[in-house]
Structure formats: C-alpha cells, structure tokens
Amino acid sequence: MSEFETRSVSRLPGFYRLDIAARRRHLVDTSSVDEERLASIDPGALPIEVADAMIENVIGVYALPFAVAVNFVVDGIETLIPMVIEEPSVVAAASNAARIAWPSGFVTSASRPVMIGQIQITMIEDVDAAAAALSEAASDLLDDARRRLPRLVERGGGPVALEARILAREDSPDGGVVVVHLHVDCRDAMGANLINTLCEALAERVAQIARGRPGVRVVSNLSDERTITVRCHVDDDALAEGGNGAEARAAIAAASRFAELDPYRATTHNKGIMNGVDAVLLATGQDWRAVEAGAHAFAARTGAYRPLAVWRESGRGLDGCLVMPLAVGTLGGALHTHPAARLALELANIEHADRLAAVAAAAGLASNLAALRALATEGIQRGHMSLHARGLALAAGAAGELVEQVAVELSACGDLTTRRAREILVRLTRSV
Ligand code: MEV
C-alpha cells in the first residue's frame, strides 16, 4: 500500500524521504506498472546483448540515476515526470518549482509535429529557373512523397509542403545552390529516419528538375515548425515561503530581463531549462542531441541568442512562458530496444509525442523557475550542498545510515572534501 493517503498521483509531500522500495510502491499503486516492470530499471537491466545491438563497439552498460519529479500538473493531469540525470538537485528543484505552481500547474500547446527534410542541389546553371521549376513540380513531388509513406498518411500525417530556397548564385564555389525543404507531419515519430529515407529517395528527381547535382539529403534539427509552448503562473504567496513574495517576484522578473539582455546569461538560463528537458528526454530514450541543437538554434533565430523562457510580473504573481522546438517520438528509436525508456513513458502515462513534449517542456520551465528563484534569493549553492555531501560520503566509503550521518556533519562543518568525509567516517565508525 502507498504511504500517501491522498491518492494523488503526483502531489507527494515527503516522497524524497521514503526509501526506494516505498517510492516504488507508490508507482505501482498509481500507474499501470507492476513491481516486475520496475525491476527493469535496476542496475544491469539493459542486457549487454541488447546494448551490443543498439550501437557499435560496445564494452559495457553505463548507468545513471533514474528518478521521478513530483508535484507536476501538466494540462490539468497530475503527472510523475521521469528524469535521468547525473547532476544533484535538478529533480528536487523541478519538484519544488512544480509545488509552487500547484494546483494550476503547467499549461501547454503544441504546434503540428512538422519536421523539415533538406535536399541540397548544387552546380545549377540558372537558380531562378530551378526554383521556378521546383515550385511548379511541388504538388507532383508531394504526391510522390506521400505514396512513399502510406502508413504515416493513414495516421493523419505525411508530407504537407515543399518549397525551394535559393542559397547561392551561379558564381559560388558550388555553382548555383538551391535547397528543397520537405515539410512532413511526423505524428508520433521523431521523424529523422523517415525524413532521411524520403529525402534520399526524392533527391535524384529533384536534382533533375533543378538541372543540378544532388548533395546533402537529411533532416534539419532546426525543427522550428514543431514547437511546444508551456505557461505557468505562480502567486507571491507560493513564491515566498516565509520570505517576501513580492521581492522574490521582482527579482525573478529582473533575472529574466538579464537573460533577455545578455547572451552570456541567456546561455546559462537556457542550460537550466535543458537540465529539466534533457533529463526527461534521456529517461524516455529520445535523441536529446537533436533537441539541444534545435533549441539553441531556435534561441538564436533573431540573430541574437535569447532566453527560451521569460518571466513577467502579473498582479501579485509571475507568468512564465517557454517556447521551444521539441522533436520527440513515442514510436521507434531507442524505445524499440530500451526497457527503461518504455517504462518511463508508461510511468508518466505518455502515449503520444505531443504529450511527451508537453511533459519535457513543463520540466524545463519548472527547472528554470527553480534556478531563477534560487539565484534571485539565497543563491544556488546551499541547495546543492546536502546532496553533494552525500556524494562525498559515499565516495569516502560510507554505507547505510552512515551516509546521512557523514553528510550532515560535512555540511555542518562546511569543508566539503572527500578527505574530511573520510575523517568523519573513521571517527563515526570507531564510535559504534
Ligand atoms: C545549473 O545546472 C543550472 C543553473 O546555472 C541555471 C541558471 O543559472 O539559470 C542554476
């Protein structure tokens, strides 16, 4: 039986104090996942043979902590958010921010899941004529493209548009260069594979129409037509926690403006957002490098590098809004092979790509709120200390109850080193 009487899925005060078995009991009680499935995230649960089939030159399996962030409500649904990350405090900070945003939580809206495939054509003698010919052939080419993806079309997706852009005139080192953009609604797939296949299949015909040579044929990771917007509102009272809510509100808004004015700060601001987003992407087996590349290119789309999320004062509270491209899939990729990635989707009740994007973006906005709130008030180091101290205690060889005892003493003395952790451990061990 779960320790939580409320039957709430995600509002779980004290979850962090439970042991792993008790946390798992709650998951079993509130999701479709049973104990046996949970065992698939035990160390070594990715069989080495499966790992060997996933990538090349495998020599082992590399494990990372798998956690759930609590207190999230995403589009009105209480959600436990799966996160895989090596950095202390990210899960706690996101959970803490989600508690501040409770009960209205995070509200999202997703664009259509349209990805872009690129076919580059070089050595064109007349780029204007090529662009005109490609525009004329667009509807034929699209029909051809649709015929190649019957199942995607059946699911309501498929190629939706084709356009030609002139990149260089005839006197460039590559002659005239035109790129054809194929816009494809990928539904629940991330889409890179299907788009790459499509671009390769169409390249020869596109080159003939343009009277040039086919060049690079691949998906673009600047998926700016597949975006997610997530908003939340937090009241001063929730922000305050014994402090001054109005002050924290003003300081967070000022920290947001700082990121809007300065790319050095905007980069770190966005890094904090990606702490939350990437952890969800890793847990759910996504291509997080693709999302990272797209996010930063999107942040720089105006020519200046800007924050992906901004915070504005609104009455006695703050409104936060994050907009970013999020190309994710609930079909294909590592989900075919990685049992923990499938489990992560199940734990969060995620069936479709747009829901996965919503959950990852909510974790991103929550991480940003937590970071700005800490930076605007007490700073980020205090929160890091206790987990860091536990890490040092473990590294010094502490086990069981001694981990916490060593960590408490280490934090109290402020000398966060393995040497001091060892000294404390030796003393505590002698005294038992
Ligand atoms: C650390 O991983 C992330 C932060 O630096 C983000 C930020 O500064 O906004 C705390």
Side-chain angles (χ1 to χ4, degrees):
M1 216 9 227
S2 166
E3 276 63 12
F4 298 95
E5 287 164 10
T6 58
R7 310 297 301 168
S8 170
V9 172
S10 72
R11 181 79 187 95
L12 305 173
F15 190 73
Y16 69 98
R17 277 195 294 266
L18 301 179
D19 61 20
I20 292 174
R23 290 181 196 142
R24 285 187 175 193
R25 272 200 298 283
H26 176 75
L27 301 183
V28 169
D29 280 359
T30 55
S31 75
S32 55
V33 165
D34 59 22
E35 290 279 359
E36 214 174 297
R37 290 287 316 287
L38 279 172
S40 72
I41 50 176
D42 284 337
L46 178 63
I48 188 102
E49 308 77 46
V50 176
D52 197 26
M54 285 171 82
I55 62 166
E56 306 74 32
N57 301 357
V58 166
I59 55 162
V61 174
Y62 183 114
L64 283 171
F66 184 150
V68 288
V70 298
N71 303 327
F72 275 86
V73 175
V74 184
D75 294 322
I77 304 169
E78 284 189 34
T79 310
L80 281 175
I81 299 199
M83 296 176 97
V84 166
I85 189 160
E86 87 299 342
E87 184 175 330
S89 301
V90 171
V91 176
S95 302
N96 202 18
R99 185 176 49 75
I100 294 172
W102 180 278
S104 49
F106 300 84
V107 178
T108 75
S109 61
S111 69
R112 217 175 151 184
V114 173
M115 300 284 286
I116 297 168
Q118 296 193 294
I119 304 172
Q120 176 209 25
I121 313 293
T122 62
M123 296 302 168
I124 299 174
E125 277 179 18
D126 181 343
V127 284
D128 296 311
L134 286 165
S135 301
E136 204 166 303
S139 104
D140 249 25
L141 284 164
L142 274 174
D143 284 344
D144 186 352
R146 278 189 207 105
R147 275 194 297 274
R148 292 169 192 271
L149 294 165
R151 272 176 306 155
L152 183 60
V153 172
E154 260 168 41
R155 293 204 306 272
V160 291
L162 183 147
E163 61 179 340
R165 297 165 50 221
I166 297 173
L167 293 187
R169 311 289 321 175
E170 296 76 3
D171 57 356
S172 91
D174 304 310
V177 183
V178 167
V179 64
V180 165
H181 275 195
L182 248 176
H183 303 254
V184 182
D185 179 331
C186 296
R187 296 286 93 193
D188 286 325
M190 185 275 189
N193 266 334
L194 67 90
I195 286 188
N196 294 345
T197 309
L198 192 60
C199 289
E200 288 185 7
L202 293 182
E204 209 49 66
R205 190 171 162 209
V206 166
Q208 271 168 17
I209 295 169
R211 293 172 173 270
R213 268 194 228 153
V216 168
R217 311 165 297 272
V218 75
V219 71
S220 168
N221 287 126
L222 176 49
S223 45
D224 56 359
E225 295 187 356
R226 191 178 194 172
T227 58
I228 183 94
T229 302
V230 53
R231 297 173 198 281
C232 78
H233 175 84
V234 289
D235 285 326
D236 285 357
D237 293 343
L239 271 180
E241 278 185 349
N244 182 336
E247 222 172 77
R249 179 216 319 149
I252 292 170
S256 172
R257 287 191 295 273
F258 176 18
E260 291 164 57
L261 290 169
D262 179 27
Y264 287 90
R265 175 57 208 154
T267 305
T268 323
H269 179 102
N270 288 345
K271 190 274 181 181
I273 294 169
M274 300 314 287
N275 273 348
V277 173
D278 284 344
V280 177
L281 301 182
L282 260 172
T284 55
Q286 304 298 310
D287 183 347
W288 51 271
R289 286 89 50 213
V291 173
E292 278 281 342
H296 298 295
F298 188 76
R301 69 194 179 286
T302 58
Y305 187 89
R306 311 257 308 157
L308 294 165
V310 294
W311 295 88
R312 296 280 180 266
E313 291 184 74
S314 141
R316 286 178 36 77
L318 271 174
D319 286 333
C321 178
L322 164 68
V323 187
M324 66 179 288
L326 243 167
V328 290
T330 48
L331 293 174
L335 287 165
H336 277 314
T337 41
H338 205 301
R342 285 195 301 271
L343 178 85
L345 287 185
E346 213 172 307
L347 280 177
N349 249 315
I350 292 170
E351 286 180 4
H352 296 288
D354 53 359
R355 177 70 185 164
L356 175 52
V359 165
L365 189 60
S367 299
N368 183 228
L369 171 61
L372 296 196
R373 181 165 173 259
L375 289 165
T377 54
E378 64 179 19
I380 56 167
Q381 283 311 84
R382 214 181 75 174
H384 275 141
M385 285 314 165
S386 66
L387 268 175
H388 182 46
R390 289 183 64 185
L392 290 173
L394 281 167
E401 286 175 1
L402 280 170
V403 177
E404 201 52 41
Q405 290 174 23
V406 172
V408 167
E409 280 208 29
L410 260 185
S411 304
C413 77
D415 180 14
L416 289 170
T417 59
T418 327
R419 186 186 45 78
R420 178 54 72 90
R422 267 195 223 104
E423 282 168 19
I424 298 172
L425 179 62
V426 169
R427 183 167 38 74
L428 287 175
T429 320
R430 276 202 203 112
S431 65
V432 263

